[in-house]
Amino acid sequence: MTDLMCGYIMDAAEFRRRGREMVDYVADYLENIEQRPVYPDVEPGYLRSLIPTEAPMEPENYDDIIRDVERVIMPGVTHWHSPYFYAYYPAASSYPAMLADMLCGAIGCIGFSWAASPACTELETVMLDWFGKMLQLPECFIAGTHGHGGGVIQGTASEATLMSLLAARCKAVRWVQASNPKKSEAEIFSKLVAYTSEQAHSSVERAALIGGVMMRKVPTDNCFAVRGDILKEMVEKDKAAGLIPFYFCATLGTTPSCGFDSITELGPICNGENMWMHIDAAYAGSAFICPEFRPLLNGVEFADSFNLNPHKWLLVNFDCSTMWVKNRADIIGAFKMEPLYLKHENQESGLVTDYRHWQIPLGRRFRSLKMWFVFRMYGLKGLQAHIRKQVALAKEFESLVRADKRFEICAEVILGLVCFRLKGSNELNQKLLKMITKSREIHLVPCQLSGRFVLRFAICARATESRHIQQAWQHITQLTFELLQEPNH
Ligand SMILES: *Cc1c(COP(=O)(O)O)cnc(C)c1O
């Protein structure tokens, strides 16, 4: 029994021992993850019956807690890092990032201002510059020492989109009021229109809901891309009706099919109409560090803000969503609040960044440590190799699908996502997915493309190799065989 009066629970000596044990547990977990079913077999509410209804009054034993990880937690875990996980888009993971996250927890600072922990702010600014250069972003997005642009780490792409929309809204109000000083903010809000692809992520529509502005869904072409002429047409129509187009969110690498909006066409339209262009490249953006994929980002020079998730495809564990703005005053100026307890004497110098102005919450973690560790351990070459390997695995899966005449590919395979289906009805494909999900050998999710039910096969885990792809395809064709044997399938 521990001595409660002096608060002894775990001292440094025990932390050292338990820490080593935990590292072993984590390494064992990841090394042997293939042996666990990728998708849990539990019913909603499974967990409540496995643990007490109240928190313990007396301190418990660490060994009991660890035992309960396997008893209570693991049965309900979807193993995102299993090589049999092909759902959604990847969640990045690497050992250097996990170690950096440990250090982040140890420093445990809340980096809302420069003074709250200077290293936390300064490393972030420099990492976003490093990364911006790896992506060959135009100079205007790089903070450097004199730039007007710069980058920030948001928690998620959803927050980056929301921030850009709110900054654009603020800018639009100021712009309208410059010529109509009597117009109220509420009156202007009711006329503002934002646009995004019908294929955009749901978080984009949600940003407009939160921001209290209208949002129009722009139809896409047969490659699931938004083209310039159609946006132009919608903008003209809205202007003629007395509305104020102010924001367009482009997607590079849409969630359903990894489609790419034509930003070289859309950018000049947005610039000409005084509309903020934000680019959401949450998944695909990481690939732009490879010269062969960088042309997909051409047109970024027209954007006001650009975002991608290293926590999806660049080996940095969640959460880490990098966002750059061309003019940081646009974003800082939109939400500035300066209570006395957050003021510090250096902030007037103009050299310091107070990241709290760039985001919704006040508090923020030391997330740039993860980027620093990963960038240095892998180097640009190692990161490029990771992207290329996963794209090659997707191409391998694509050729397996193409070689089977019962199946069709539903969207061009550009990066690590393959959209495919059985030739035939939506019901048939729904049945196939149900069989796949039920068997729990691999895990994937569907999408809807032009009214058709489509299966998405995304290369996700860092540990995925060719043999897993071959095995997954064999499994899918075996289930297909069984499905097509059924009478009146
Ligand atoms: C995954 C994804 C998002 C959401 O990312 P979060 O970081 O979870 O908010 C947004 N947009 C696209 C295109 C995505 O693929």
Side-chain angles (χ1 to χ4, degrees):
M1 189 63 199
T2 52
D3 179 356
L4 285 176
M5 296 316 286
C6 64
Y8 165 78
I9 298 297
M10 183 185 284
D11 61 11
E14 191 183 0
F15 176 72
R16 284 176 209 279
R17 182 160 69 87
R18 297 308 192 177
R20 288 190 186 104
E21 284 171 17
M22 180 58 85
V23 167
D24 280 337
Y25 179 82
V26 169
D28 287 343
Y29 167 70
L30 289 173
E31 262 189 339
N32 302 309
I33 198 164
E34 282 183 40
Q35 287 154 25
R36 296 178 188 257
V38 58
Y39 190 63
D41 187 6
V42 291
E43 296 298 323
Y46 90 94
L47 189 141
R48 191 175 277 280
S49 64
L50 297 178
I51 59 172
T53 52
E54 314 277 337
M57 189 64 72
E58 304 294 334
E60 291 190 50
N61 212 317
Y62 184 81
D63 288 315
D64 293 340
I65 303 173
I66 283 297
R67 254 195 302 279
D68 278 352
V69 172
E70 284 297 336
R71 186 182 67 90
V72 178
I73 304 300
M74 285 302 174
V77 170
T78 301
H79 299 289
W80 280 62
H81 302 289
S82 162
Y84 299 115
F85 183 91
Y86 302 104
Y88 317 106
Y89 271 141
S93 176
S94 69
Y95 291 117
M98 282 185 256
L99 290 174
D101 222 359
M102 233 176 122
L103 179 59
C104 168
I107 294 172
C109 64
I110 313 289
F112 44 75
S113 68
W114 179 85
S117 199
C120 177
T121 293
E122 295 201 10
L123 186 65
E124 185 161 329
T125 308
V126 178
M127 283 308 102
L128 272 282
D129 276 3
W130 275 19
F131 193 20
K133 289 174 191 171
M134 284 157 65
L135 293 160
Q136 295 185 40
L137 287 185
E139 193 62 32
C140 53
F141 290 102
I142 306 296
T145 45
H146 305 292
H148 297 290
V152 59
I153 302 177
Q154 304 282 359
T156 60
S158 314
E159 290 161 78
T161 304
L162 178 60
M163 279 304 294
S164 69
L165 181 123
L166 295 180
R169 191 187 68 172
C170 178
K171 207 176 165 186
V173 167
R174 282 180 196 163
W175 178 73
V176 173
Q177 283 180 338
S179 47
N180 306 280
K182 289 217 180 68
K183 274 214 170 132
S184 73
E185 201 174 73
E187 203 181 336
I188 299 168
F189 279 12
S190 70
K191 302 272 188 232
L192 294 178
V193 198
Y195 305 81
T196 196
S197 167
E198 60 180 8
Q199 297 282 319
H201 194 263
S202 56
S203 55
V204 180
E205 200 178 345
R206 203 144 171 261
L209 267 177
I210 297 170
V213 293
M214 247 179 286
M215 179 164 265
R216 297 218 194 284
K217 300 264 190 76
V218 187
T220 54
D221 69 6
N222 54 9
C223 295
F224 309 106
V226 172
R227 305 297 300 267
D229 47 5
I230 186 135
L231 177 70
K232 182 87 186 154
E233 206 181 297
M234 291 174 78
V235 166
E236 291 301 341
K237 213 168 134 199
D238 284 335
K239 285 202 305 189
L243 299 174
I244 309 167
F246 82 107
Y247 177 88
F248 174 67
C249 177
T251 312
L252 296 180
T254 56
T255 315
S257 71
C258 203
F260 290 80
D261 288 346
S262 179
I263 54 172
T264 49
E265 290 175 11
L266 296 158
I269 296 169
C270 292
N271 290 179
E273 298 290 342
N274 223 341
M275 289 163 67
W276 184 295
M277 182 162 87
H278 175 68
I279 297 176
D280 171 8
Y283 163 71
S286 296
F288 306 153
I289 61 167
C290 299
E292 67 273 33
F293 299 123
R294 177 57 178 77
L296 293 165
L297 187 59
N298 287 351
V300 67
E301 61 275 16
F302 299 113
D304 295 281
S305 51
F306 168 62
N307 169 248
L308 71 94
N309 285 351
H311 72 230
K312 268 191 171 151
W313 207 10
L314 214 61
L315 300 166
V316 179
N317 292 56
F318 190 83
D319 52 349
C320 181
S321 181
T322 45
M323 177 190 196
W324 290 263
V325 287
K326 203 181 258 173
N327 188 359
R328 57 179 183 253
D330 285 341
I331 214 154
I332 299 167
F335 318 102
K336 211 158 195 176
M337 286 266 173
E338 301 272 22
L340 191 58
Y341 50 83
L342 295 177
K343 278 195 191 286
H344 54 92
E345 54 193 34
N346 293 296
Q347 72 187 37
E348 305 308 332
S349 78
L351 269 178
V352 307
T353 299
D354 286 339
Y355 273 126
R356 70 174 185 277
H357 302 307
W358 298 55
Q359 59 174 21
I360 308 279
L362 173 65
R364 55 204 329 278
R365 286 161 23 95
F366 199 161
R367 287 179 291 222
S368 55
L369 284 172
K370 289 185 287 194
M371 294 176 74
W372 195 44
F373 276 43
V374 168
F375 288 177
R376 294 181 66 186
M377 287 293 295
Y378 281 85
L380 179 55
K381 283 188 179 161
L383 296 171
Q384 288 170 335
H386 168 68
I387 298 285
R388 286 173 181 143
K389 176 179 168 186
Q390 297 217 317
V391 175
L393 289 171
K395 299 271 182 200
E396 180 178 343
F397 186 79
E398 179 194 9
S399 52
L400 291 169
V401 177
R402 283 197 191 279
D404 189 325
K405 293 289 168 251
R406 296 170 299 178
F407 287 89
E408 58 187 328
I409 293 287
C410 307
E412 191 188 349
V413 179
I414 300 173
L415 299 173
L417 175 69
V418 183
C419 290
F420 71 108
R421 72 198 296 279
L422 268 171
K423 291 174 185 162
S425 67
N426 284 348
E427 292 71 44
L428 184 67
N429 282 283
Q430 278 157 355
K431 272 191 194 164
L432 176 60
L433 180 67
K434 223 173 236 163
M435 291 169 82
I436 292 171
T437 306
K438 211 170 136 216
S439 79
R440 296 177 207 286
E441 277 195 32
I442 60 173
H443 188 50
L444 38 95
V445 294
C447 70
Q448 184 111 11
L449 292 175
S450 313
R452 299 196 308 170
F453 186 89
V454 169
L455 307 188
R456 285 172 84 267
F457 189 93
I459 308 299
C460 288
R462 184 167 50 87
T464 308
E465 299 288 347
S466 171
R467 68 184 165 89
H468 301 110
I469 302 296
Q470 297 289 336
Q471 219 171 308
W473 179 244
Q474 203 179 2
H475 178 62
I476 292 168
T477 50
Q478 174 61 36
L479 294 179
T480 300
F481 176 76
E482 288 168 25
L483 175 64
L484 297 179
Q485 290 272 304
E486 282 176 18
N488 4 295
H489 55 258

